[in-house]
Amino acid sequence: MSDWRADSVFSFTAPLSGGGQGKHDIHVKGAGPPILILQELTGISPQTLDLATRLNRAGFTTYLPHLFGPFGTEATMRNALRLFCVRREFHLFARGRQSPVAGWIAALVAEIARREGGQGVGVIGMCLTGSFALALMAEDAVLGSVASQPSLPIMGGDRLHMSEAEIAAARAAMDRKGPALALRYRGDRLSTRAHMRAVEAAFGEGVQVVEYPGDGHSLLTLDFHAPAYARVECYFRSRFGLPEA
């Protein structure tokens, strides 16, 4: 298990898109430019904490919202309780629109920027949170986003988990700020080839798509792929104007 321990934890409450409120604890560690890590369906696994550790050692501050599931232990993707727990804030099959938690995440990005003295924020979304990373490019505080194995909507084919208006806003921001980054294993059956082609069709040069050989799923955590992580770290160094490692 990872020995990662937060420097601080705070509770954050903000509206959900479409009504109601969400409240989650945010675990913070490190010194340097801030990166928001949005967890996968498995919970905040030891491998997710390892990702945070790598980024901390590389000179970044990591913000990890604990949205659902276990913290510091691994739960399998087959665990149906994970689906039950997220049903209010995550609409896993929604096509052409984001989940209610999207509004909460956007508010959190603004809060992170405020806490960091107005500094821009990087975002990593993985699996069911991957599409949020792309849409968040439209937020003023976001300098760059990585969508690792974006997988929503489940069984969505070539449909994306965001509206045409959200796509247009994110694409316009990408034109100003530079592209986002999207990653997947070529043989991934959850983050499908059709889905990634839909990302390319929607965003064009606004998203750099990189596909790696293999049949795994979680490039940055459970099925860790060192070149994919190196690409992500390099991407954020460039976005924040940091020297290469």
Side-chain angles (χ1 to χ4, degrees):
M1 179 182 294
S2 172
D3 61 358
W4 191 92
R5 295 290 184 275
D7 294 333
S8 63
V9 180
F10 66 94
S11 181
F12 183 68
T13 302
L16 301 170
S17 302
Q21 288 196 324
K23 180 180 180 181
H24 301 285
D25 287 341
I26 318 299
H27 298 250
V28 186
K29 185 171 185 175
I35 296 178
L36 170 64
I37 301 176
L38 299 171
Q39 68 177 85
E40 302 167 278
L41 188 60
T42 52
I44 297 181
S45 66
Q47 294 88 345
T48 303
L49 298 178
D50 287 342
L51 171 60
T53 297
R54 289 184 176 95
L55 290 168
N56 294 149
R57 289 173 178 169
F60 297 98
T61 300
T62 52
Y63 284 75
L64 277 74
H66 187 195
L67 301 174
F68 53 82
F71 188 102
T73 60
E74 182 181 336
T76 69
M77 293 289 285
R78 296 185 296 274
N79 192 337
L81 287 178
R82 299 284 79 77
L83 299 177
F84 178 81
C85 291
V86 304
R87 72 193 190 284
R88 184 174 75 95
E89 298 186 9
F90 288 84
H91 295 170
L92 304 185
F93 297 91
R95 305 178 186 188
R97 59 188 174 91
Q98 292 193 83
S99 295
V101 74
W104 183 91
I105 296 172
L108 176 60
V109 165
E111 173 64 13
I112 293 171
R114 185 192 69 79
R115 287 172 173 260
E116 296 290 334
Q119 185 171 198
V121 180
V123 179
I124 297 175
M126 301 179 287
C127 187
L128 84 167
T129 62
S131 62
F132 300 131
L134 297 179
L136 283 167
M137 284 292 288
E139 299 300 314
D140 290 341
V142 174
L143 292 182
S145 291
V146 173
S148 187
Q149 71 273 359
S151 303
L152 292 190
I154 294 176
M155 296 188 293
D158 60 357
R159 296 293 303 277
L160 296 183
H161 193 66
M162 60 189 83
S163 69
E164 291 298 325
E166 290 161 344
I167 291 170
R171 177 60 194 269
M174 294 165 181
D175 290 342
R176 298 191 308 271
K177 302 174 183 179
L181 180 63
L183 316 171
R184 69 180 284 269
Y185 279 113
R186 291 195 188 106
D188 191 342
R189 296 183 179 181
L190 292 174
S191 179
T192 64
R193 183 178 185 276
H195 187 88
M196 202 61 84
R197 299 294 82 79
V199 168
E200 290 179 317
F203 295 105
E205 295 182 358
V207 176
Q208 298 174 348
V209 173
V210 185
E211 297 177 289
Y212 294 94
D215 297 326
H217 177 62
S218 300
L219 280 155
L220 303 179
T221 56
L222 300 173
D223 304 309
F224 182 73
H225 192 275
Y229 169 77
R231 182 69 176 261
V232 169
E233 184 181 316
C234 182
Y235 172 82
F236 283 121
R237 286 187 178 279
S238 174
R239 279 291 178 272
F240 285 109
L242 300 179
E244 295 184 6

